[in-house]
Amino acid sequence: MQDNVDWRLDQWRTERPDLDPAPMGVVARVQRACRLLERELRDNFARHDLQLWEFDVLGTIRRCGPPFRLTAGQLVEATMVTSGAITNRIDRLAAKGLVTREVDPANRRSVLITLTDEGRELIDRVVVDHLELEARLLGDLGGEDQEQLAGLLRRLLVSLGDHP
């Protein structure tokens, strides 16, 4: 079984036999898998009138548990976007009635972002459909394969500096 990346690697081996393109094969496959998975996720979220980033922010707040509230700074850290980007995203979610924002009474320099009841109901519905889609997308990999892949990707991410 071959994929698109094999074809590219074969070309490099032919044109530059002095180089080992194996690292390129790993990185290219991770990038291509990411693009293909994101396309599927985007299409699925669009059916719920959501964008990928909206699911990310709503899910981040929902996972934190009651009272389903985080500071804007915590959202910046969790979602890996800039403070300007998170401000824009919060504005857009608030306009849709999915979150509220208020000044933190304990720290007036901080803003608290809270899921509304509508936001929580939406994320609770969408996450079920999202998990079903992800299970289908990974369906060709058995449980052990999925665990092994997750472990290898975890090790890669940690080596790249991705820590909780």
Side-chain angles (χ1 to χ4, degrees):
M1 171 177 20
Q2 288 200 323
D3 62 14
N4 183 285
V5 176
D6 288 316
W7 172 73
R8 295 176 191 190
L9 297 178
D10 287 344
Q11 288 178 318
W12 279 116
R13 286 183 189 106
T14 299
E15 295 301 317
R16 291 293 309 266
D18 57 313
L19 299 177
D20 177 12
M24 192 182 294
V26 174
V27 173
R29 284 185 176 95
V30 170
Q31 288 176 322
R32 287 181 66 79
C34 183
R35 287 185 196 114
L36 292 168
L37 291 169
E38 280 187 357
R39 184 177 61 204
E40 293 287 338
L41 296 177
R42 265 195 313 274
D43 290 349
N44 187 51
F45 292 137
R47 286 190 280 280
H48 297 281
D49 195 28
L50 281 178
Q51 294 183 37
L52 186 66
W53 67 263
E54 290 173 308
F55 176 83
D56 187 31
V57 172
L58 295 173
T60 299
I61 299 170
R62 176 62 175 95
R63 288 191 315 266
C64 75
F68 309 112
R69 176 182 299 140
L70 291 172
T71 67
Q74 289 170 317
L75 282 172
V76 166
E77 288 179 31
T79 59
M80 296 174 41
V81 298
T82 65
S83 60
I86 205 68
T87 297
N88 181 36
R89 291 174 180 194
I90 292 165
D91 288 345
R92 292 168 71 184
L93 290 169
K96 289 175 100 173
L98 301 175
V99 300
T100 61
R101 73 155 32 103
E102 61 186 298
V103 174
D104 184 349
N107 178 357
R108 308 244 350 122
R109 295 176 294 159
S110 185
V111 176
L112 297 173
I113 313 305
T114 306
L115 278 181
T116 62
D117 289 342
E118 181 182 348
R120 195 175 99 221
E121 290 169 9
L122 176 63
I123 193 64
D124 282 349
R125 273 194 323 271
V126 174
V127 73
V128 172
D129 191 35
H130 174 67
L131 287 170
E132 289 172 358
L133 172 64
E134 288 186 338
R136 279 195 313 275
L137 293 172
L138 297 175
D140 284 349
L141 300 177
E144 279 186 36
D145 287 342
Q146 288 182 33
E147 285 182 36
Q148 181 181 12
L149 179 58
L152 292 169
L153 290 171
R154 181 182 305 109
R155 197 162 80 203
L156 174 62
L157 287 170
V158 169
S159 76
L160 295 171
D162 189 32
H163 304 283

